[in-house]
Amino acid sequence: MNIGEASNASGVSAKMIRYYEEIGLIRPMGRTGNNYRVYGDEEVHILRFIKRARNLGFSLEETETLLKLWQDKSRESAAVKEVATAHIGDLERRIAEMQGMVKTLKHLAHCCGGDTRPNCPILDDLAGDGAVGGDASAPAMKRKTKQHA
Amino acid sequence: MNIGEASNASGVSAKMIRYYEEIGLIRPMGRTGNNYRVYGDEEVHILRFIKRARNLGFSLEETETLLKLWQDKSRESAAVKEVATAHIGDLERRIAEMQGMVKTLKHLAHCCGGDTRPNCPILDDLAGDGAVGGDASAPAMKRKTKQHA
DNA sequence: CCTTGACCTTCCCATGATGGGAAGCTCCAC
DNA sequence: GTGGAGCTTCCCATCATGGGAAGGTCAAGG
């Protein structure tokens, strides 16, 4: 199987497959005489594992950890659960942060006429003029991962 | 006022102030004889506007739009509201996406013993073995912005 | 046999917003 | 005049991904 077929079978782009190899997330693949990478069902399975982990929002680093645990037949399930629960906590923190933004924004948008007049409570809030805005002061934590498009 | 004072007064790091100037978000500042940038209350006000917009999750591009609307005294509040509501929609989409992940992950974590045994439904799901996992298939939209730390 | 097009390879660059740090200048206080 | 704090510019790193160029390879069809 060439990289294109492996890509189709796994849902991971060829570009990303090469990248994962480069950063050591997956082992360097064997090559044919023409220098093409060769993949088998095993590799496709691993790529799909990675794909699914990414879809659940795990970073590549976390995915690597999970991958190693998956391949370690003597792992303790507690280790896996710990990674998962930490990630859940992370997601929930980010969700709460964004919900705070939404709450404030909805309030401001509700107060804004949205017509042809220039008067606008949203801008007033951003400018710090009004005491309208809610709690958008906490700078928030760094984003850990980004979803692919 | 030097850049350090402007930074303190606005909550925007000196590094970012220079960056905002570089990308044209704020006008290049006047310099003193020693080549130091000089800031006044007006500039600090603008920086705080930017800071607040960023805290509400607006991208720098959206922030620029809002900034221009703010400075355009003949704006129509509808234009501002449109930017805000689009951003709300964006946030809500991302929240829903992450909530989907959380839901799936919580279910999986709940099913996982989290003990010393290797058996783990979380890994089984990632491996695609079980029919346990929920809907983490939709690839999701690109992240538009990232919160600073 | 040769062309065409679809693959594959590597390499570099861009994204978005931010921080880190080096090298070199200035300014102020002691 | 010296030390340290603050300013300047410049380059690099992050995280995960895509875009694209330049060049090799292969299979099918003329």
Side-chain angles (χ1 to χ4, degrees):
Chain A
M1 203 179 344
N2 284 340
I3 201 169
E5 293 169 86
S7 171
N8 279 337
S10 65
V12 179
S13 74
K15 209 96 186 191
M16 279 301 103
I17 296 176
R18 293 192 200 98
Y19 175 65
Y20 293 162
E21 180 181 317
E22 186 193 327
I23 64 170
L25 182 61
I26 57 179
R27 292 290 125 216
M29 297 311 300
R31 306 289 184 111
T32 54
N34 51 29
N35 202 32
Y36 287 12
R37 289 171 179 82
V38 191
Y39 298 85
D41 291 346
E42 172 76 14
E43 284 77 33
V44 170
H45 199 184
I46 291 172
L47 287 170
R48 294 221 271 133
F49 182 102
I50 294 170
K51 177 79 178 173
R52 171 93 177 134
R54 297 286 304 123
N55 279 348
L56 285 172
F58 288 106
S59 68
L60 286 185
E61 200 179 350
E62 290 164 328
T63 301
E64 189 176 15
T65 303
L66 293 170
L67 205 47
K68 281 176 182 158
L69 286 167
W70 183 41
Q71 285 157 349
D72 174 10
K73 294 306 176 195
S74 69
R75 78 220 152 215
E76 302 190 356
S77 65
V80 183
K81 193 168 181 172
E82 197 182 313
V83 175
T85 50
H87 180 46
I88 290 170
D90 197 57
L91 285 168
E92 287 183 329
R93 244 170 286 124
R94 283 156 50 191
I95 288 169
E97 185 193 331
M98 287 193 277
Q99 280 173 337
M101 296 175 184
V102 167
K103 188 181 169 188
T104 301
L105 288 165
K106 280 197 167 173
H107 174 62
L108 291 172
H110 177 72
C111 295
C112 173
D115 49 36
T116 58
R117 289 169 301 171
N119 183 276
C120 180
I122 301 171
L123 292 178
D124 290 348
D125 177 87
L126 290 171
D129 296 348
V132 187
D135 50 355
S137 48
M141 52 258 22
K142 256 198 168 56
R143 185 118 298 133
K144 197 180 49 182
T145 183
K146 182 167 43 171
Q147 292 309 299
H148 62 84
Chain B
M1 198 173 359
N2 284 340
I3 199 169
E5 294 168 86
S7 170
N8 280 337
S10 65
V12 179
S13 74
K15 208 95 187 190
M16 278 302 101
I17 296 177
R18 292 193 201 98
Y19 175 65
Y20 293 162
E21 179 181 317
E22 187 193 327
I23 63 170
L25 183 61
I26 57 179
R27 293 289 127 216
M29 298 311 300
R31 305 289 183 111
T32 55
N34 51 27
N35 202 32
Y36 287 12
R37 288 172 181 81
V38 191
Y39 298 85
D41 290 345
E42 172 75 15
E43 284 78 32
V44 170
H45 199 183
I46 290 172
L47 288 170
R48 296 222 269 132
F49 182 100
I50 293 170
K51 177 81 179 169
R52 172 93 178 133
R54 297 286 304 125
N55 279 348
L56 284 173
F58 287 105
S59 69
L60 286 186
E61 200 179 350
E62 289 164 329
T63 301
E64 188 175 17
T65 303
L66 293 170
L67 204 47
K68 281 177 182 157
L69 286 166
W70 182 41
Q71 286 157 347
D72 174 12
K73 296 304 177 195
S74 69
R75 76 216 152 220
E76 302 190 357
S77 66
V80 183
K81 192 167 182 172
E82 196 182 315
V83 174
T85 51
H87 180 46
I88 290 170
D90 197 57
L91 286 168
E92 287 184 329
R93 244 171 285 125
R94 283 156 50 189
I95 288 169
E97 185 192 332
M98 287 194 276
Q99 280 173 337
M101 296 175 185
V102 167
K103 187 180 170 191
T104 301
L105 287 165
K106 280 196 167 174
H107 174 62
L108 292 172
H110 177 73
C111 294
C112 173
D115 49 35
T116 58
R117 289 170 300 171
N119 183 275
C120 180
I122 302 171
L123 292 179
D124 290 347
D125 177 88
L126 290 171
D129 296 347
V132 187
D135 49 356
S137 49
M141 52 256 28
K142 257 197 170 60
R143 185 121 298 129
K144 199 180 44 183
T145 184
K146 182 167 40 174
Q147 293 310 300
H148 61 85

